[in-house]
Amino acid sequence: MDLEKHGRHEPPPPAGQGCVYAVVRIPVRILAVVVVLPVRVVWDLLVLGARAVYRRALRPAGDAVARAGAWLHRYLLAPAGHALAWLARGAGLVLKWAVLAVVYWPWAGLWRYVLAPAGGALWRWVLVPLGQGLALLGRGTAAALSWLAKALFVWPWAALWRYLLVPAGAALYRHLLRPAGHGLVWAALAVVRYLLKPAGAGVVWTVGAVVRYLLKPTGAAVVWTVGAVCRYLLVPPVRGAAWLVGGLYRYVLAPAGRALVWFLPRVLAALFVWPWAALWRYVLVPAATGVHRYLLAPLGHGAARLARGLYRHVLTPLGRFITSTWRLAGRVSRALGRGLVRLWRGCVARPAAWVYRQVATPAGHLVREVWRTSRGTARAVWRTSRTAAGEAWHTARAAVRDARAGVRQALFGTPPREPVRSRARTLGSTKAAGNTPAPEISLSKQQG
């Protein structure tokens, strides 16, 4: 079958592949019919068998297990769990009340009805008055000790200070110390004005004269001498040494340093950098470039072309052929399955259905009607015979009862009565054990 007939349009093969399709198409179809078709048929049969097993066995078994689990949970586990929970709650409640009755309530009652009232009464009528008495006694004792301490340590010294030391000190200051102080101040002022001030003025003039006429000329001479020594003895050698050091640095050390700075990096570069740079630039880079350009790149392009050609001209057609073969085998397997289904329906299912509808169903209806009629007839005959037998039984029973009553009356002369067994059997009702009601009038009244 072509794919275009089923609405599947595939891109046409390239121009160079027409011959390949023409050469490979017939062998591929033969291979599909001979090899792939049985595999696909076996696969479809396995799929159908697996679906049938799932629908007819696994899913009903799973539903049955689920129903059994639900029933077990609903009627066994849940009631057992509820019973255990109720039992646990009851046990917990009993344990709670037991703990309360054994541990909590005795101590709570002891605290509430014994210790708390006793403690309140003890606090109100014993401890509070005792504390108030002790506080009053403490305040009285503190007041007495305070008055005693003041009488012993404060009031004597206060009276001594107020009435003895203060007046004596005031009189001493007023009549002795203040006049003595005024005299000492006048004497000190007189000494300063007439003795120390002229002596200080003389000392100041003497020191000024020594500084102006002795120390200042001496200091100037020392300063000129030190300046002359520094200018004409120390400065020229220092300047010469500085000029010599500057010339040595400018014309010897600086050129030597510049030469070292210029020469040393080049020497180090010539020893450690230039060989590796030349090796990298003139050996490794050209070699790597040549290897990449003339070896790796052609190999990569060749491998890429080979891979593209293999994928385009071998793998793609092979994949398409395999896909087409699998689809063709699927269509053939589907057609074969449909043919088998139609054959089954034509040879087995439809004749069986016709036999069921045209033969078995009328025969069953006939048998059902015959059975229903015979069953109704037999039921009517049974009811009639049972009614007749019951009436005959009750008639014979009544005759026997009348004969027994007559014999009893003839022998004993007592009025006949209903036996106790009949009353016990009827349980006090007005009907006997049969369908006929018992007579409400006694035999003596009936005969009389």
Side-chain angles (χ1 to χ4, degrees):
M1 297 181 181
D2 296 333
L3 298 176
E4 297 178 356
K5 294 181 180 181
H6 298 275
R8 298 179 181 177
H9 300 282
E10 293 184 356
Q17 296 180 5
C19 59
V20 178
Y21 274 92
V23 172
V24 181
R25 184 179 301 170
I26 296 175
V28 166
R29 290 188 177 182
I30 295 173
L31 182 65
V33 174
V34 175
V35 178
V36 182
L37 181 60
V39 176
R40 184 60 184 264
V41 170
V42 172
W43 174 259
D44 293 339
L45 291 177
L46 289 176
V47 170
L48 292 175
R51 290 179 180 174
V53 169
Y54 172 72
R55 290 178 181 176
R56 303 299 179 184
L58 296 181
R59 188 166 65 184
D63 295 338
V65 171
R67 292 192 189 95
W71 183 87
L72 185 64
H73 176 268
R74 189 172 185 177
Y75 296 102
L76 184 61
L77 297 179
H82 291 308
L84 290 177
W86 182 82
L87 184 62
R89 286 197 295 269
L93 187 61
V94 170
L95 184 61
K96 175 184 175 182
W97 286 102
V99 170
L100 289 176
V102 173
V103 177
Y104 177 74
W105 287 344
W107 298 103
L110 180 63
W111 170 261
R112 182 177 294 177
Y113 300 107
V114 178
L115 296 180
L122 181 64
W123 169 262
R124 181 176 298 175
W125 304 108
V126 177
L127 296 180
V128 172
L130 183 61
Q132 292 177 354
L134 291 177
L136 183 62
L137 180 61
R139 285 196 294 271
T141 305
L145 291 177
S146 175
W147 183 84
L148 181 61
K150 288 180 180 179
L152 292 178
F153 300 100
V154 176
W155 291 342
W157 301 103
L160 179 63
W161 172 262
R162 179 179 296 178
Y163 299 108
L164 181 61
L165 295 179
V166 171
L172 182 63
Y173 172 76
R174 183 179 300 167
H175 300 287
L176 180 61
L177 295 179
R178 189 167 64 180
H182 289 301
L184 291 175
V185 169
W186 181 83
L189 290 176
V191 169
V192 169
R193 180 179 296 176
Y194 298 107
L195 181 61
L196 294 180
K197 188 175 181 179
V203 170
V204 169
W205 181 84
T206 304
V207 171
V210 169
V211 169
R212 179 178 298 176
Y213 299 107
L214 182 60
L215 296 178
K216 190 174 181 180
T218 306
V222 170
V223 169
W224 181 84
T225 304
V226 171
V229 169
C230 290
R231 181 178 296 176
Y232 298 106
L233 292 179
L234 298 178
V235 172
V238 171
R239 285 181 178 177
W243 179 83
L244 181 60
V245 171
L248 181 63
Y249 173 77
R250 181 177 297 174
Y251 298 105
V252 177
L253 297 178
R258 292 193 186 96
L260 287 176
V261 169
W262 180 86
F263 182 71
L264 188 60
R266 284 167 175 76
V267 171
L268 294 177
L271 292 176
F272 299 103
V273 178
W274 291 348
W276 300 104
L279 179 63
W280 170 262
R281 181 178 295 177
Y282 299 107
V283 177
L284 295 180
V285 172
T289 305
V291 169
H292 178 268
R293 183 177 297 174
Y294 299 105
L295 183 61
L296 297 180
L299 288 177
H301 291 302
R305 290 179 182 177
L306 180 61
R308 283 197 300 268
L310 182 64
Y311 174 76
R312 183 179 297 173
H313 301 289
V314 177
L315 295 179
T316 301
L318 184 60
R320 290 179 180 175
F321 287 148
I322 291 174
T323 306
S324 302
T325 304
W326 184 258
R327 291 176 181 174
L328 181 60
R331 293 191 185 94
V332 173
S333 174
R334 191 181 297 111
L336 182 60
R338 290 176 181 175
L340 292 176
V341 169
R342 290 179 181 177
L343 183 62
W344 170 263
R345 288 178 181 176
C347 295
V348 179
R350 289 179 181 176
W354 182 85
V355 169
Y356 176 76
R357 292 176 184 175
Q358 302 297 329
V359 179
T361 301
H365 291 176
L366 180 61
V367 170
R368 185 176 62 186
E369 293 296 332
V370 171
W371 170 255
R372 184 181 298 172
T373 304
S374 62
R375 187 177 62 180
T377 304
R379 185 177 296 175
V381 170
W382 169 255
R383 288 179 181 176
T384 304
S385 61
R386 189 177 62 179
T387 304
E391 290 179 358
W393 169 257
H394 287 297
T395 303
R397 185 178 179 185
V400 171
R401 185 180 297 172
D402 293 340
R404 289 173 61 189
V407 170
R408 186 183 298 108
Q409 185 177 6
L411 293 176
F412 300 101
T414 57
R417 60 180 181 179
E418 188 177 1
V420 179
R421 184 181 59 186
S422 177
R423 288 198 305 269
R425 185 170 61 252
T426 57
L427 299 177
S429 62
T430 59
K431 292 184 179 181
N435 293 328
T436 58
E440 297 180 359
I441 303 173
S442 61
L443 294 176
S444 60
K445 292 182 179 180
Q446 289 179 359
Q447 293 177 2

